[in-house]
Amino acid sequence: MNFKKLLIYSLFIFAIASCKKDSSIDNNISTTGSTGSTGATGSTGVTGSTGNTTPYTITETFEEGTKTAYADATVQLSTGIWDFNDALIGNLATDAKDGENSVRLRTGDIAMDFDIYGLTQISIKHAEYGTDGPSTWQLLESTDGGSTYSQVGASITETSTTLVTDSFKIAVAPKVRFEIKKAGTTRINLDDITFKGIGSSGVTLTNPSTPDTTASTTAGTPRGVTLGTDAPPSSGDNSNLLMGNPSSATTAIIMTDNYLIDQGYYVESYNSIKGEPNWVSWHLDASNITSSTGRQNDFAAFDGLPSGFFEVQSTAFSETGFDRGHNCPSGDRTSSIDANDATFLMTNMIPQAPQNNEQTWANLEEYIRDQVSAGNEAYIIMGNYGTGGTGSGSTLSSVDNGHVNVPSNVWKVAIILPVGDNDISRITATTRVIAVNTPNINSINSDWTQYITTVSAIEAASNVSLLTALPANVRAALETVRDSGK
């Protein structure tokens, strides 16, 4: 009898606790202001895997990363890359904030450039900015990687001068990302966007204020590449070197400054004398950017170099003021852990000025991925040339005791064409080609379109021959095209 009473009492207490937990999720509770208006349930998604039922809570506090201007640009925050359009990270006394920073949004939007998995609720703190007065904003969601959006619940009317919280229930979906959009010229502040869900979120929290290059004090274990079924084919359509071998690199060991390495997920010409790639070439389509895995951040030396080649360790750029700048980006290989791991080998890195890597280059990378998400595919080649760059500290010609050259310029060429077959024959004199050449300096403009050039100009500066697999007349036409950046 005593056992029965104890069991009934325990079940009663559990029921009360469960009700209390549900209530805290459903209600809009502010820790710094009054309760906001009631949020709404997002669109119903397909229930994800039930293998992992561990709950998670992730908060984007906007305390990491910087954006001081309203101009449209991406910014690396602790949860991932966000696009800020007519928005910045504010820290003035007139900014309503929980901590040092918050978003100041004018007539535009902020949007996640990444997906989160297993989400059940999103909460947002918000307030009027300064004395700007009331305004209205909307929360929108996308379950197709940002191609289309639908509004979640009713629009929020901003009337509070102190932060309040609105929460929105989201049915568990395979993946979802969000956009917060505002009209009108009065500004608002947004802070502490909290994601709650079940299972693996796919989000790896990072600290953008401390570049992952300089924070590393212990070298990762050297490794190679594990190829999965998601690797591009070795030849033909969608292969990484379909556009041609820019420097006629070979696998002959005597080619110490032009050694060909096929890493499966990309192909490169490696320069063991400079301790970095001359160029890296890869194909990009929607199958490569599925967000099946997050950023691994497992930098490591490549253990497959020939004997006698200097092996650059993952700590080589520590305390130099330069980022470990990807050639083939982590964001272009999210179809599997193996694919993402491959991008973190040091043979895929150059010493890159932080602002160049984290802003200008990140913006260009995201723009190309946006073109792919819109129904295109891309053939991309990235390279560098020269000696001497300026990082967050001083101008350097080399790092790692002279083993790794610091390039003066970083360039990229991308062929963009609609998804299809027989790619070489489909590329014509009117096919879009984007050519960008940036100085490797920390004072660089975050707008990559300021550095648009031509393929021929890059060829002349870096002593490579690009797009050689194309018919001569097509190649000649594309070499002189200067893209609009739109």
Side-chain angles (χ1 to χ4, degrees):
M1 179 65 70
N2 289 338
F3 176 76
K4 286 185 177 180
K5 287 183 179 179
L6 179 60
L7 178 60
I8 292 170
Y9 179 76
S10 299
L11 291 172
F12 176 71
I13 293 299
F14 177 77
I16 292 176
S18 299
C19 291
K20 184 176 182 181
K21 179 179 179 182
D22 289 341
S23 176
S24 68
I25 292 177
D26 292 346
N27 293 335
N28 301 307
I29 300 174
S30 170
T31 58
T32 59
S34 59
T35 301
S37 57
T38 302
T41 302
S43 60
T44 302
V46 180
T47 302
S49 171
T50 58
N52 183 354
T53 59
T54 304
Y56 67 77
T57 299
I58 297 171
T59 300
E60 179 52 71
T61 63
F62 302 101
E63 297 301 311
E64 311 297 341
T66 58
K67 188 175 186 293
T68 58
Y70 283 107
D72 187 7
T74 57
V75 57
Q76 175 73 56
L77 300 175
S78 62
T79 52
I81 294 177
W82 292 65
D83 184 81
F84 278 47
N85 176 26
D86 206 26
L88 53 77
I89 296 178
N91 58 5
L92 301 179
T94 45
D95 286 298
K97 52 190 180 294
D98 182 13
E100 297 296 324
N101 302 325
S102 64
V103 175
R104 192 189 309 158
L105 177 60
R106 193 165 56 183
T107 308
D109 61 87
I110 65 168
M112 298 161 56
D113 280 352
F114 59 95
D115 294 306
I116 190 166
Y117 296 77
L119 191 72
T120 58
Q121 178 184 286
I122 180 173
S123 300
I124 306 167
K125 291 183 180 180
H126 56 91
E128 296 177 5
Y129 168 72
T131 59
D132 275 19
S135 59
T136 302
W137 57 272
Q138 299 85 35
L139 176 68
L140 298 94
E141 67 173 1
S142 172
T143 57
D144 57 9
S147 296
T148 59
Y149 283 87
S150 59
Q151 185 168 335
V152 179
S155 299
I156 302 294
T157 299
E158 200 65 75
T159 58
S160 177
T161 56
T162 58
L163 289 172
V164 296
T165 302
D166 268 289
S167 297
F168 302 82
K169 281 187 175 180
I170 305 296
V172 178
K175 64 178 183 178
V176 65
R177 63 177 63 185
F178 295 95
E179 175 186 19
I180 299 173
K181 181 179 290 186
K182 182 190 167 296
T185 57
T186 54
R187 294 162 290 182
I188 63 171
N189 286 122
L190 304 167
D191 206 356
D192 291 354
I193 298 179
T194 299
F195 305 94
K196 291 186 176 182
I198 298 171
S200 175
S201 68
V203 173
T204 301
L205 293 176
T206 60
N207 183 351
S209 296
T210 306
D212 52 18
T213 60
T214 58
S216 180
T217 56
T218 303
T221 303
R223 64 168 189 273
V225 174
T226 301
L227 287 183
T229 57
D230 57 336
S234 58
S235 62
D237 272 3
N238 304 341
S239 59
N240 293 316
L241 211 56
L242 185 64
M243 293 298 109
N245 184 328
S247 61
S248 299
T250 74
T251 55
I253 297 177
I254 60 170
M255 301 292 284
T256 56
D257 62 349
N258 191 25
Y259 182 69
L260 186 69
I261 306 177
D262 185 350
Q263 298 287 28
Y265 293 101
Y266 55 87
V267 176
E268 67 179 291
S269 163
Y270 187 71
N271 191 324
S272 69
I273 297 172
K274 291 186 173 182
E276 63 197 7
N278 296 308
W279 52 261
V280 177
S281 181
W282 67 101
H283 176 260
L284 181 67
D285 63 27
S287 70
N288 307 129
I289 50 176
T290 60
S291 296
S292 296
T293 188
R295 180 183 171 97
Q296 297 303 299
N297 276 326
D298 51 353
F299 293 90
F302 175 50
D303 65 5
L305 291 174
S307 176
F309 281 31
F310 181 77
E311 191 176 87
V312 179
Q313 300 299 313
S314 60
T315 52
F317 304 174
S318 295
E319 306 301 329
T320 65
F322 287 89
D323 279 5
R324 290 172 291 196
H326 284 68
N327 279 256
C328 179
S330 164
D332 283 9
R333 293 291 183 259
T334 62
S335 56
S336 68
I337 291 177
D338 289 338
N340 201 255
D341 279 347
T343 70
F344 283 92
L345 294 175
M346 292 303 292
T347 46
N348 186 42
M349 304 295 162
I350 59 168
Q352 194 169 0
Q355 297 303 310
N356 186 312
N357 179 42
E358 298 166 25
Q359 294 190 21
T360 315
W361 223 240
N363 292 339
L364 173 58
E365 291 168 352
E366 190 60 39
Y367 179 82
I368 294 174
R369 285 193 288 269
D370 286 345
Q371 305 313 299
V372 169
S373 296
N376 296 299
E377 58 184 306
Y379 289 92
I380 307 167
I381 310 150
M382 175 177 165
N384 66 87
Y385 65 87
T387 297
T390 304
S392 59
S394 59
T395 298
L396 298 177
S397 59
S398 66
V399 297
D400 197 17
N401 295 317
H403 288 296
V404 182
N405 175 70
V406 177
S408 63
N409 286 74
V410 185
W411 57 264
K412 179 172 285 185
V413 170
I415 295 285
I416 312 289
L417 70 161
V419 171
D421 298 321
N422 302 312
D423 293 345
I424 290 290
S425 63
R426 292 192 301 120
I427 297 174
T428 70
T430 60
T431 297
R432 187 176 187 190
V433 57
I434 301 172
V436 175
N437 187 2
T438 66
N440 190 21
I441 57 176
N442 217 38
S443 57
I444 191 171
N445 193 307
S446 63
D447 181 4
W448 62 268
T449 65
Q450 301 299 309
Y451 304 97
I452 292 174
T453 183
T454 64
V455 172
S456 60
I458 290 175
E459 289 175 318
S462 59
N463 194 30
V464 294
S465 297
L466 302 171
L467 314 180
T468 54
L470 298 178
N473 62 321
V474 174
R475 179 184 178 227
L478 294 181
E479 281 181 310
T480 60
V481 171
R482 185 181 293 268
D483 188 71
S484 67
K486 298 178 181 179

